[in-house]
Amino acid sequence: MGNTGEPAERDLPLVVLGEMVIMPHMTVPLQVGQGKSFRAMEQAWDEGREVLLIFVAEDEIEAYKTGQSTRLPPIGVVGRLEEFMKLPDGTARVILEGLGRAAVGGVLQREPFYRVRCTVLVDAEPDGMDVEALMDTVKQQVDAFVDQLGEVPQDAVAFVHRIEHPGHLADIVTYAPAFEFRERLEILNEIDPMARLRRAHLLLARQLELMKLRQKIQQDTKEVLDQGQREYFLREQMRIIRRELGEDDDTEDPIDELRRKIAALVAPDYVREQAAHELKRLAQQGMNNPEAGVIRTYLDWILNLPWGEEHLPEISLHEAQRVLDEDHFGLERVKERILEYLAVRKLAGTRMRSPILCFVGPPGVGKTSLGRSIARALGRSFVRISLGGIRDEAEIRGHRRTYIGAMPGRVIQGMKTARSRYPVYVLDEIDKVGQDFRGDPTSALLEVLDPEQNSAFSDHYLEIAYDLSQVVFIATANQLDPIPGPLRDRMELIEIGGYTEDEKLGIAREFLVRKQREFHGLTAEQLMITDEAILCLIRSYTREAGVRNLEREIASLCRKTARRVASAEAATPPPAAVIDASDVAGYLGAPRFSIGLAEEHDEVGVATGVAWTPTGGDTLAIEVLPVRGKGALQITGHLGQVMKESAQTALSYARSRAEQFGVDPNYFDEHNIHIHVPEGAVPKDGPSAGITLTTALISAMTGRPVRRDVAMTGEVTLRGKVLPIGGLKEKTLAAHRAGIRTFILPKDNAKDIAELPKKVRDELQLIPVASMDEVLTIALAARAEPVATRV
């Protein structure tokens, strides 16, 4: 084998192309930008349309463009310009046909384009059986390659079969997309046609083996895996390949991480089965599926909820007593009930179905902090959720997972926060739960707060049972009326009344003053508040059942003291501030409230009543004034319907007993009766002022004064019977604070006297009565005392 004919030397313009090798006998369209190759083609188009093509790697092209490269490849291709069309953007559209190989010689010029001397090479014409056999083999490989690849035009296959020269066949085969630049360059640089064809045969054989291997992998995978599993399989392959290449960042696959966590999850079997089922769905769908995020979030909730048994610390009643006394002043009955609960819990353990305690009382009396103290005493986690304003049932039970952004309800969220199956769970403001078109949250709470049902609480998001039976639920409420009957029936109600003055004084002295001094950076030497000053705050600057406003006023004193201390010169530290009752007005301004006090004299037609308010209790004077008229009844003082009816009842009772009281039967026909309750801007209602109205009315009829040191409460009937009332503690506290010495109450409320503060029981004469006759005997003075002239 050898070259036929004499090699022809040529001086041709040089065109440098990238990694797209144009073989002889091939025609390729190109678009060429400005540069040396552009100018070379432009010159060739004017000369003889022939150029010398060389092919270099992409990273070497820039050196040729700038003229910095002096190294030329050994073999190029002589090409002919079939078309050279300049375009408006400065580029040119070119059609090049490869004519034959050429050995590259020296560079003749570098500017404005390369011109190179080359020697055209002509392939030898080999013959023999081995040539024919090799060409048939290569053509069969091409057929197999096309079958594997698919979508190849049959004209192209027929063209390959018509090729009769081994070198031409090798050139055409190598142009297939499956071959890389370096492989094509090797074929181009091979001068011997048979050696070239053998190399092409080996490259085709390698590509066929790779394609068969890929097909086998795909076929084997398809038999056992669906689309999601194929993705998982490919990810595993990628991870292994990265690890073999040293590119693995040791990041655990999310599926493997979840599988490991589920295997380590301490939970009932049904929970593990549900988690495994969801993990299988996730693996099948793949992490790129839109639903993968929903499943992943669901699994995270299951894995982060507490499911297993836990070791609880031993309950110590002495420690619990210490904690309760340390955190709260007074509230003896409430503390006693809590200690009873803890004693039963200590003896019964987890066998006890936890009762649901509900602390009911005005704001600021320590309902929520009692729950925190119970958690401390039990050594359990503390969780609090506020139910005020909740109107959506899904806030309790959670949302179905079909909704975008679905989450479990607040109960399950609290369990995740607690990280314990045995927390103390405070449901704050349970009386302020509302309802609308989205459902009734109070009905959803029925299952949560029922010890017989909450062992298998069903949250719409989880869709599996969750055991709440060992949770210590504590609800708080300001009023009982808004709570539905079925929900109220599931709770054990513990009423927490307002604090007495002595209790407020003790709370302030033991807790509030010390706490606010620390918050404001003061020491006991820099600020001391006397008991008289605290009592002044309680009586003249706050009106509440709890101590929140009292704490705010103490904080105000601390702020003003802190400013004085901070403003003082370092060399002359300010003297210690001792705030007494006389100093309070200078710090806080004029008193804001005046407490109800007993009347100064016994007066006719004026009786002292007591009222319950959300901030505690207060006294009020009820005035009755008969004037000449035609028997009309006038009622003023912003009274409610029930209280107006009590006034009508009192008038009817007085008219029926007029003769017994020595009053002319025509008295009511000749007089108008005006009943007034002072502080007319404040709404007042309720039946408990019945006996006070009746006493004041009879006093005005008979001219007998009412004792100023007597206060009373009770509902009255037309027959003069005295019926029980509520809020006795707050009312007796108000009477005690006002300086009352005798307190008349219904006989049916006598059982509540034991629950009153000891100081009230000792200093107030409590007289239960059953009829108005007993009330009048006690309340009306035997003779009139001098009274102030009425205007």
Side-chain angles (χ1 to χ4, degrees):
M1 295 182 185
N3 293 341
T4 61
E6 293 296 329
E9 289 191 352
R10 308 282 298 276
D11 295 340
L12 297 176
L14 181 67
V15 175
V16 182
L17 298 180
E19 297 183 355
M20 182 184 67
V21 181
I22 300 177
M23 293 291 186
H25 311 290
M26 295 190 61
T27 302
V28 177
L30 296 173
Q31 188 165 354
V32 182
Q34 292 287 340
K36 289 181 179 293
S37 294
F38 180 92
R39 292 190 291 272
M41 292 183 185
E42 191 176 29
Q43 182 66 29
W45 183 256
D46 295 334
E47 290 182 352
R49 297 190 181 184
E50 289 189 355
V51 293
L52 178 65
L53 307 175
I54 64 172
F55 313 99
V56 298
E58 294 291 343
D59 56 355
E60 300 176 8
I61 289 181
E62 191 64 31
Y64 286 96
K65 287 182 178 179
T66 59
Q68 297 176 356
S69 178
T70 60
R71 181 178 61 85
L72 296 176
I75 301 295
V77 174
V78 177
R80 181 170 58 236
L81 290 169
E82 298 293 339
E83 181 180 317
F84 183 79
M85 180 183 294
K86 295 181 181 179
L87 301 177
D89 61 356
T91 62
R93 188 172 63 197
V94 178
I95 297 178
L96 275 172
E97 179 186 2
L99 299 178
R101 286 173 174 78
V104 181
V107 178
L108 300 178
Q109 75 175 49
R110 295 183 180 273
E111 296 295 339
F113 56 85
Y114 287 103
R115 186 179 290 276
V116 178
R117 175 162 294 174
C118 62
T119 304
V120 178
L121 304 176
V122 180
D123 285 347
E125 294 291 343
D127 54 7
M129 298 295 293
D130 56 340
V131 175
E132 186 177 349
L134 183 58
M135 290 184 65
D136 288 342
T137 302
V138 171
K139 291 178 180 180
Q140 290 174 4
Q141 286 180 317
V142 170
D143 291 339
F145 190 84
V146 169
D147 291 340
Q148 295 287 343
L149 196 62
E151 298 182 359
V152 176
Q154 290 300 316
D155 294 344
V157 179
F159 172 75
V160 172
H161 279 276
R162 288 196 298 268
I163 297 175
E164 297 179 354
H165 194 280
H168 186 193
L169 180 60
D171 291 343
I172 294 298
V173 166
T174 311
Y175 194 70
F179 294 97
E180 298 179 354
F181 169 68
R182 297 296 178 188
E183 296 171 336
R184 292 173 182 167
L185 209 56
E186 290 177 4
I187 297 295
L188 178 66
N189 292 335
E190 184 60 58
I191 304 301
D192 186 357
M194 285 299 292
R196 193 187 311 159
L197 189 57
R198 290 190 187 94
R199 186 178 294 274
H201 166 64
L202 294 176
L203 292 175
L204 270 175
R206 178 174 176 273
Q207 289 294 331
L208 283 170
E209 288 299 322
L210 286 175
M211 294 180 71
K212 289 178 181 179
L213 182 59
R214 291 193 195 102
Q215 185 179 20
K216 183 177 184 303
I217 292 174
Q218 292 176 357
Q219 185 63 31
D220 293 344
T221 305
K222 187 175 182 180
E223 292 177 357
V224 294
L225 303 176
D226 60 10
Q227 181 179 357
Q229 289 171 318
R230 281 201 301 274
E231 291 181 6
Y232 169 74
F233 178 71
L234 292 174
R235 282 196 303 273
E236 286 295 305
Q237 284 185 324
M238 291 170 58
R239 186 172 62 85
I240 294 171
I241 291 170
R242 286 198 303 268
R243 187 175 62 195
E244 292 297 328
L245 294 175
E247 299 175 358
D248 190 12
D249 57 359
D250 294 330
T251 301
E252 188 175 6
D253 184 80
I255 301 294
D256 288 344
E257 181 184 2
L258 289 172
R259 184 176 288 109
R260 176 178 54 79
K261 289 182 178 180
I262 291 173
L265 180 64
V266 179
D269 291 342
Y270 67 90
V271 177
R272 295 164 59 89
E273 290 172 3
Q274 178 73 5
H277 172 71
E278 293 295 328
L279 180 63
K280 183 178 179 182
R281 289 183 58 214
L282 181 62
Q284 290 174 347
Q285 296 179 2
M287 298 299 293
N288 296 325
N289 190 284
E291 196 177 352
V294 177
I295 300 175
R296 181 73 180 271
T297 304
Y298 178 77
L299 287 173
D300 287 342
W301 273 101
I302 289 182
L303 292 172
N304 286 287
L305 281 173
W307 298 95
E309 299 293 332
E310 302 170 26
H311 173 71
L312 296 175
E314 184 70 22
I315 297 175
S316 170
L317 294 183
H318 295 291
E319 177 66 14
Q321 179 78 58
R322 186 192 67 77
V323 169
L324 292 173
D325 290 340
E326 181 180 304
D327 293 348
H328 296 85
F329 188 92
L331 304 178
E332 300 303 329
R333 178 172 169 268
V334 178
K335 292 179 183 177
E336 181 181 357
R337 176 62 188 87
I338 292 172
L339 290 173
E340 291 172 359
Y341 166 79
L342 296 181
V344 175
R345 168 69 68 177
K346 180 176 182 179
L347 297 177
T350 57
R351 299 189 306 274
M352 175 187 177
R353 292 290 186 182
S354 300
I356 311 301
L357 304 180
C358 181
F359 297 142
V360 183
V365 295
K367 300 184 295 295
T368 305
S369 59
L370 270 173
R372 188 175 284 106
S373 298
I374 293 173
R376 277 187 60 199
L378 287 171
R380 297 192 181 195
S381 301
F382 175 76
V383 183
R384 172 191 169 273
I385 63 172
S386 178
L387 301 178
I390 287 181
R391 295 180 176 273
D392 190 353
E393 178 202 359
E395 293 283 348
I396 306 298
R397 285 192 177 276
H399 302 81
R400 300 284 184 187
R401 278 188 286 159
T402 52
Y403 296 102
I404 296 175
M407 291 185 67
R410 294 199 181 194
V411 176
I412 295 298
Q413 290 181 34
M415 298 303 294
K416 178 184 176 183
T417 303
R419 296 186 176 277
S420 169
R421 278 187 57 212
Y422 306 96
V424 174
Y425 212 123
V426 171
L427 304 173
D428 226 353
E429 312 293 351
I430 199 171
D431 57 327
K432 297 177 179 60
V433 177
Q435 61 179 342
D436 60 10
F437 64 93
R438 290 167 291 186
D440 182 5
T442 56
S443 298
L445 285 171
L446 294 178
E447 182 183 4
V448 177
L449 299 181
D450 191 339
E452 299 300 325
Q453 299 181 39
N454 61 13
S455 59
F457 173 67
S458 175
D459 185 274
H460 288 161
Y461 182 84
L462 289 183
E463 295 181 341
I464 51 178
Y466 192 87
D467 186 4
L468 299 174
S469 60
Q470 300 304 320
V471 178
V472 179
F473 283 106
I474 297 175
T476 70
N478 297 131
Q479 299 177 13
L480 280 178
D481 294 341
I483 303 176
L487 184 58
R488 194 187 317 171
D489 183 60
R490 282 165 168 77
M491 300 184 293
E492 180 178 343
L493 305 178
I494 298 178
E495 294 190 8
I496 303 177
Y499 293 113
T500 65
E501 279 189 358
D502 289 345
E503 288 174 335
K504 290 182 180 180
L505 176 62
I507 293 170
R509 187 169 51 219
E510 300 294 331
F511 299 100
L512 303 183
V513 173
R514 182 173 67 249
K515 173 183 173 183
Q516 290 301 323
R517 269 202 306 244
E518 292 176 0
F519 281 177
H520 291 81
L522 298 171
T523 63
E525 291 75 20
Q526 292 172 327
L527 174 62
M528 186 173 67
I529 303 176
T530 65
D531 291 354
E532 291 74 15
I534 296 174
L535 285 174
C536 179
L537 293 177
I538 295 170
R539 293 172 178 173
S540 303
Y541 292 87
T542 63
R543 176 171 287 177
E544 58 179 345
V547 291
R548 281 187 184 147
N549 288 325
L550 176 59
E551 185 173 8
R552 292 189 185 102
E553 299 302 332
I554 293 174
S556 181
L557 295 178
C558 292
R559 285 196 303 273
K560 296 181 183 301
T561 304
R563 179 181 177 183
R564 181 177 57 81
V565 172
S567 301
E569 296 293 336
T572 57
V578 179
I579 299 178
D580 202 355
S582 58
D583 304 320
V584 173
Y587 282 89
L588 303 180
R592 302 187 187 98
F593 304 103
S594 59
I595 61 173
L597 298 176
E599 298 293 328
E600 296 181 359
H601 307 282
D602 295 348
E603 293 192 42
V604 175
V606 179
T608 303
V610 285
W612 177 92
T613 68
T615 60
D618 202 357
T619 60
L620 67 163
I622 294 180
E623 302 174 344
V624 177
L625 181 63
V627 294
R628 288 286 179 180
K630 299 181 180 180
L633 174 64
Q634 185 179 5
I635 304 174
T636 57
H638 205 329
L639 306 187
Q641 184 62 34
V642 175
M643 201 165 180
K644 290 179 180 178
E645 291 174 357
S646 295
Q648 295 280 0
T649 303
L651 180 60
S652 296
Y653 172 77
R655 295 187 70 164
S656 67
R657 301 289 300 276
E659 293 185 5
Q660 299 179 24
F661 296 137
V663 178
D664 185 356
N666 296 324
Y667 178 87
F668 293 99
D669 296 328
E670 299 171 355
H671 291 79
N672 291 340
I673 305 296
H674 187 172
I675 299 177
H676 178 68
V677 182
E679 295 188 32
V682 180
K684 311 168 192 72
D685 201 5
S688 59
I691 65 172
T692 315
L693 288 165
T694 307
T695 302
L697 181 56
I698 294 175
S699 170
M701 288 167 43
T702 60
R704 295 177 59 185
V706 181
R707 291 172 51 190
R708 63 184 180 85
D709 62 340
V710 173
M712 61 195 74
T713 182
E715 182 179 357
V716 70
T717 70
L718 289 172
R719 296 173 295 162
K721 301 292 184 182
V722 180
L723 302 182
I725 45 82
L728 182 64
K729 179 181 178 181
E730 288 77 8
K731 293 176 178 179
T732 54
L733 288 174
H736 178 267
R737 183 175 63 238
I740 298 296
R741 291 291 174 262
T742 303
F743 190 88
I744 301 174
L745 67 153
K747 188 174 183 179
D748 290 342
N749 285 112
K751 61 182 183 302
D752 300 325
I753 293 178
E755 299 178 7
L756 300 179
K758 184 176 185 301
K759 186 172 184 179
V760 171
R761 297 198 307 268
D762 293 342
E763 299 182 7
L764 203 61
Q765 184 182 8
L766 302 167
I767 305 177
V769 298
S771 66
M772 274 305 305
D773 292 337
E774 298 177 63
V775 174
L776 298 175
T777 302
I778 300 168
L780 297 181
R783 59 185 180 84
E785 297 180 0
V787 296
T789 304
R790 296 181 181 176
V791 179

